[in-house]
Amino acid sequence: MSDDDLPDQDDSPAERKMRFLFQLRSRGVTDPRVLSVMERIDRGIFIRGQFADRAYEDTPLPIPCGQTISQPSVVGLMTQALNPRPRDTVLEVGTGSGYQAAVLAGLCRRVYTVDRHRRLVQESEAIFQKLGLSNITAQVADGSRGLPDQSPFDRILVTAAAEDPPGPLLAQLKIGGIMVVPVGQSDAVQTLIRVTRTDTGFDYDELRQVRFVPLVEGLGQT
Ligand code: SAH
C-alpha cells in the first residue's frame, strides 16, 4: 500500500481546526476569549467557490465585489486589540464576508456592521441567520460616515484602509471607547492603529503593518 492510499489524517475537521488555532496562536493571538470564538465560528461558511478549500489557511482570500476576507490571524489580532466587552455595542465598517462580524458577535452585546456593497450585506445576513447570530444588524451604508442613529459606540472596528481615521467615526466613539483602523495609502502597506478616546482627546497606538482594501466613499453599484 503506498502513501497515496492512506486516508489523509491531516484533512479531518478536527485536525484542520487544531492547525487553524495553532496558526493563530503562533502569530500572536493569545486572548482565550478570542481563540474560543474563532474555534467556534467556522470560516469555511463565509467563503464559497474555488477558494472554499483554503478557508482554514492563514491567508486572505477573494470574496465577491472584488473584496477580500481578511487573514484569520489579522482578524484575531484586531479583535484582541479592540478588546470588546460583553455589554459593548460595536460598529464594524466593512462587512465583507461577514466573518469578522460573526467573531465580534460572540464577544459583545450588539454588532452593527455596514458595507457599501448590497450583495455582501445580503449574503452575510443570510449566514448570520443560518448561524442564529441574532445580535448582528447588517446594513448598506457608507461607513466612512459611521452610523449616526446608533451612535455612540463602545468600540469601532474598521476593516478597510483609510488615509486617516475618519472624523465622523472618531466623533461616534464613546469616551473611553476604542477604535481599531488600518491607515495609510490604499496601494501601500498600511499601519494598524488603535485610537482610544479620553476625556480630553484621543490617544493613538501603532500596532503593526497590514494590508487592506481601501475605504471608499459612497455606495457600490452592487
Ligand atoms: N471584515 C470583512 C473584510 C472586509 S474587506 C470580513 O470579515 O470578511 C473590506 C470591506 O470594506 C469590503 O467589503 C468593502 O466593500 C468595504 N468598504 C470599503 N469602503 C467602505 C465604506 N466607505 N463603507 C462601508 N464599507 C466599505
Side-chain angles (χ1 to χ4, degrees):
M1 188 160 142
S2 78
D3 274 0
D4 288 348
D5 300 326
L6 291 168
D8 191 349
Q9 295 283 338
D10 280 356
D11 267 356
S12 79
E15 281 284 330
R16 230 169 36 198
K17 188 167 275 185
M18 288 255 292
R19 260 205 324 268
F20 183 72
L21 289 170
F22 175 80
Q23 283 173 9
L24 292 176
R25 282 201 204 88
S26 67
R27 299 212 155 123
V29 183
T30 51
D31 183 327
R33 290 192 320 140
V34 175
L35 286 167
S36 112
V37 173
M38 291 185 75
E39 180 175 1
R40 235 171 39 229
I41 305 282
D42 182 357
R43 187 173 184 247
I45 296 174
F46 297 83
I47 301 166
R48 266 149 295 163
Q50 57 174 320
F51 296 104
D53 60 344
R54 300 187 58 192
Y56 308 99
E57 292 175 25
D58 192 27
T59 182
L61 292 169
I63 57 170
C65 305
Q67 305 302 316
T68 37
I69 179 172
S70 313
Q71 187 176 347
S73 58
V74 171
V75 170
L77 291 168
M78 286 176 93
T79 306
Q80 184 165 290
L82 193 69
N83 188 26
R85 301 160 304 176
R87 298 175 65 85
D88 281 351
T89 298
V90 179
L91 171 65
E92 182 200 20
V93 175
T95 311
S97 68
Y99 178 61
Q100 172 76 73
V103 170
L104 291 171
L107 295 166
C108 63
R109 189 172 61 82
R110 174 145 295 278
V111 178
Y112 292 93
T113 181
V114 300
D115 205 288
R116 56 191 294 278
H117 288 291
R118 182 169 305 277
R119 174 175 175 188
L120 296 175
V121 169
Q122 286 173 343
E123 292 184 0
S124 297
E125 269 180 324
I127 299 174
F128 301 150
Q129 214 164 23
K130 193 166 132 194
L131 297 180
L133 298 173
S134 55
N135 62 335
I136 309 179
T137 305
Q139 80 189 57
V140 181
D142 176 357
S144 63
R145 295 156 188 253
L147 214 47
D149 290 352
Q150 310 300 340
S151 70
F153 298 99
D154 298 289
R155 300 288 187 262
I156 300 178
L157 182 58
V158 186
T159 62
E163 285 198 17
D164 293 300
L169 295 182
L170 292 172
Q172 290 171 30
L173 200 54
K174 283 186 191 169
I175 291 177
I178 297 173
M179 170 158 73
V180 172
V181 53
V183 293
Q185 299 296 327
S186 60
D187 53 351
V189 170
Q190 306 127 7
T191 307
L192 189 64
I193 63 167
R194 177 174 47 207
V195 184
T196 308
R197 185 164 195 173
T198 67
D199 286 331
T200 51
F202 297 93
D203 286 343
Y204 295 84
D205 290 313
E206 291 192 2
L207 302 178
R208 53 179 274 140
Q209 302 295 297
V210 284
R211 191 159 191 167
F212 276 84
V213 297
L215 187 74
V216 178
E217 287 189 16
L219 298 184
Q221 300 297 310
T222 54

